């Protein structure tokens, strides 16, 4: 299994600012995923981050708004840029390892 | 330490069978329990449960929560091949961890 930690666990931010969320995994993994969870809705995939290559963004998400770094096989960051209240959500990091998918605890973001 | 356990981890059934998936949890400050179905890229939300004993139903799927015994079950009746997926249980907590996901139950429904 994989143990995933995220920082911060929650934050309250002013509109127009940016927040970087960190995701740390206790195993080396090729594929890491960033999701957004709105209350009572399905998880929405933002992007897939493979080490050593550019992240692949899903429709509706762009690199300028959600830049991602993947410097090594155990770490990734997602930045939510120029935030607005519509970005208030829980952001989850996830990894695929040996045919299973594991999720981090999430970062609860509130934008005022 | 917060944790969510799902059983079985995998299950193979034939179309028309009824299945029950189990989720038990230990969490510091329970807020809700969520069930998801994952087939492809992103888990699809099925149910959110916050109160004990109230069954939630959607077509052939139903779920119920027991907050005293700290578990939930997801039932699927008259299974179809399209029900084949990984079913994830997650607990949302009010303090500390936002979500704790279980390992999932991989359901395969054979024709």
């Amino acid at each position: 299994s994989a143990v995933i930690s995220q920082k911060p666990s929650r934050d309250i931010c002013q509109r127009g600012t940016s927040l970087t969320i960190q995701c740390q995994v206790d195993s080396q993994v090729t594929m890491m995923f960033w999701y957004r969870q709105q209350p009572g809705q399905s998880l929405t995939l933002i992007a897939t981050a493979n080490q050593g290559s550019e992240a692949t963004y899903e429709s509706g998400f762009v690199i300028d708004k959600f830049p991602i770094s993947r410097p090594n096989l155990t770490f990734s960051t997602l930045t939510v840029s120029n935030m607005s209240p519509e970005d208030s959500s829980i952001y989850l990091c996830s990894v695929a390892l040996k045919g299973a998918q594991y999720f981090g605890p999430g970062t609860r973001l509130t934008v005022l | 330490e917060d944790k969510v356990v799902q059983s079985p981890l995998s299950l193979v059934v034939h179309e028309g069978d009824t299945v029950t998936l189990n989720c038990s949890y230990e969490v510091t400050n329970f807020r809700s329990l969520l069930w998801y179905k994952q087939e492809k890229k992103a888990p699809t939300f099925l149910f959110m449960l916050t109160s004990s004993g109230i069954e939630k139903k959607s077509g052939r799927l139903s779920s119920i929560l027991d907050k005293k015994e700290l578990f939930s079950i997801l039932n699927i009746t008259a299974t179809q091949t399209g029900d084949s997926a990984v079913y994830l249980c997650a607990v949302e907590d009010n303090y500390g961890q936002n979500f704790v996901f279980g390992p999932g139950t991989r359901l395969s429904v054979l024709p």
Side-chain angles (χ1 to χ4, degrees):
Chain A
S1 67
V3 177
I4 304 172
S5 60
Q6 284 185 234
K7 287 182 184 179
S9 61
R10 57 193 66 220
D11 208 340
I12 300 172
C13 302
Q14 295 288 343
R15 71 167 68 215
T17 63
S18 297
L19 176 73
T20 295
I21 302 167
Q22 298 179 1
C23 176
Q24 180 77 50
V25 190
D26 69 344
S27 304
Q28 293 188 332
V29 294
T30 304
M31 298 179 74
M32 294 180 81
F33 309 91
W34 286 99
Y35 292 89
R36 188 165 70 182
Q37 165 78 79
Q38 305 280 16
Q41 295 185 20
S42 301
L43 288 168
T44 302
L45 182 62
I46 297 171
T48 302
N50 290 337
Q51 196 270 333
S53 62
E54 292 273 329
T56 304
Y57 288 83
E58 298 299 306
S59 175
F61 298 96
V62 295
I63 188 170
D64 290 346
K65 175 68 177 175
F66 296 101
I68 286 171
S69 80
R70 185 78 207 274
N72 58 52
L73 291 171
T74 62
F75 188 79
S76 177
T77 67
L78 170 77
T79 299
V80 187
S81 303
N82 188 24
M83 288 184 285
S84 66
E86 292 70 37
D87 294 320
S88 298
S89 186
I90 294 178
Y91 293 83
L92 290 143
C93 167
S94 174
V95 304
L97 182 65
K98 295 180 183 175
Q101 190 161 0
Y102 302 91
F103 291 85
T107 295
R108 189 181 296 270
L109 171 63
T110 302
V111 184
L112 303 178
Chain B
E1 183 185 328
D2 294 348
K3 73 179 174 185
V4 173
V5 176
Q6 289 186 248
S7 65
L9 293 180
S10 70
L11 187 57
V12 180
V13 300
H14 287 92
E15 275 193 313
D17 289 349
T18 293
V19 298
T20 298
L21 309 183
N22 303 291
C23 174
S24 63
Y25 62 90
E26 293 174 27
V27 70
T28 307
N29 192 6
F30 178 87
R31 180 173 179 163
S32 65
L33 185 145
L34 301 97
W35 283 99
Y36 297 90
K37 177 183 181 183
Q38 180 160 25
E39 295 171 276
K40 295 176 184 174
K41 284 186 175 179
T44 305
F45 171 82
L46 295 175
F47 299 110
M48 182 172 75
L49 304 157
T50 55
S51 302
S52 274
I54 299 174
E55 185 183 52
K56 289 220 174 170
K57 205 167 167 61
S58 176
R60 296 176 294 102
L61 277 66
S62 63
S63 184
I64 197 160
L65 173 69
D66 185 331
K67 286 167 75 173
K68 183 179 174 187
E69 300 298 330
L70 308 182
F71 78 90
S72 173
I73 59 172
L74 174 69
N75 277 323
I76 308 175
T77 58
T79 51
Q80 302 171 357
T81 54
D83 296 327
S84 297
V86 174
Y87 289 84
L88 292 164
C89 171
V91 174
E92 192 179 6
D93 139 5
N94 261 328
Y95 178 80
Q97 301 266 61
N98 292 300
F99 279 99
V100 183
F101 277 82
T105 293
R106 185 175 295 276
L107 175 65
S108 300
V109 182
L110 305 178

